[in-house]
Amino acid sequence: HVIEALNKAFEQKNVKGIILDLNSPGGSPVQSDLIYNEIKKLQAQDKYGRKVYAVVADVCASGCYYLASAAHEIYANELSTVGSIGVIAGQFGFVDAIKKIGVERRLHTAGKYKAFLDPFSVETPETKAIIQEHIDIIHKIFIDKVKAGRNGRLKNDPLMFTGLFWTGKQSLELGLIDGFSTKQDVARRSEERRVGKECLRLCRS
């Protein structure tokens, strides 16, 4: 739905810029990456040079920040929660529980690792390593995309990619956002910049 809306917005000639109204703790890395790539593509291909601006309300964390980093600029409130550049994978294990209540687990698979995430099976060092490698790869891609999107604006902080999150005030100091604003103010400034550029073009003519 987001990608469809972005494309429709860029198809409109009277649109001066696009604002992403963000308020989410995150979600699927795949969906975040799809939106990120679409934002980058649309901005690069747009013959009018229009930009996408991300404006954060309460929360923009994890997958939400992933896609936000593709925007030309990111704005938030001083009290917003921003960041959480990390990956999480969790489940429960019920091996001892089913033993206590006398339940026999019957699981039939084809393929050595087909059921290694089964919560009623014992987690081995090998299967744990497989999961860790999987989320490490996703984390690396997440970090690379954020760095590319922010284009040198991130500060060199050892905690940047640990999964921690910060207030909007801290985020500005870290380079995670570009300033404090609302979507209404961003829209007004975008219009003012457009009018200013048009005046400059006419004067030079």
Side-chain angles (χ1 to χ4, degrees):
H1 295 302
V2 175
I3 289 174
E4 182 181 358
L6 283 166
N7 277 274
K8 285 183 178 179
F10 272 96
E11 287 169 3
Q12 306 302 314
K13 292 182 179 180
N14 64 330
V15 169
K16 306 300 187 296
I18 292 86
I19 296 174
L20 295 173
D21 187 8
L22 301 178
N23 192 22
S24 170
S28 162
V30 173
Q31 299 306 315
S32 298
D33 191 65
L34 290 172
I35 297 169
Y36 177 105
N37 293 336
E38 194 69 15
I39 292 170
K40 286 296 189 184
K41 183 189 79 174
L42 290 170
Q43 289 186 124
Q45 295 178 349
D46 186 48
K47 62 182 180 180
Y48 300 108
R50 293 170 296 185
K51 304 297 182 183
V52 175
Y53 301 90
V55 181
V56 178
D58 298 287
V59 181
C60 181
S62 197
C64 181
Y65 188 78
Y66 189 134
L67 67 91
S69 65
H72 180 61
E73 292 173 352
I74 305 174
Y75 294 95
N77 184 277
E78 285 185 289
L79 304 177
S80 300
T81 298
V82 180
S84 189
I85 303 171
V87 183
I88 185 171
Q91 62 179 133
F92 294 97
F94 300 100
V95 178
D96 293 333
I98 62 174
K99 286 181 180 178
K100 285 183 179 180
I101 60 176
V103 176
E104 180 186 359
R105 175 66 165 153
R106 295 173 181 173
L107 183 65
H108 310 284
T109 65
K112 180 180 178 181
Y113 299 108
K114 184 62 181 178
F116 79 94
L117 291 177
D118 175 53
F120 299 101
S121 299
V122 176
E123 183 180 57
T124 66
E126 182 185 13
T127 57
K128 187 176 181 179
I130 291 171
I131 297 169
Q132 189 62 51
E133 181 183 18
H134 182 80
I135 63 176
D136 284 344
I137 291 170
I138 296 173
H139 191 210
K140 174 67 165 56
I141 294 170
F142 189 173
I143 292 170
D144 290 344
K145 287 296 183 75
V146 169
K147 285 182 175 179
R150 295 303 290 156
N151 193 25
R153 284 171 282 182
L154 293 175
K155 297 297 186 292
N156 186 18
D157 191 296
L159 298 177
M160 182 69 71
F161 306 117
T162 62
L164 283 178
F165 51 84
W166 295 272
T167 64
K169 187 176 185 299
Q170 293 170 308
S171 299
L172 181 60
E173 296 168 357
L174 291 168
L176 289 164
I177 65 173
D178 298 289
F180 307 129
S181 192
T182 64
K183 55 188 175 182
Q184 292 82 5
D185 285 339
V186 170
R188 278 191 288 268
R189 286 202 302 273
S190 180
E191 176 63 16
E192 288 167 2
R193 282 195 291 263
R194 186 193 70 82
V195 172
K197 287 181 180 178
E198 182 67 14
C199 290
L200 182 60
R201 186 185 68 80
L202 291 172
C203 289
R204 285 178 174 172
S205 300

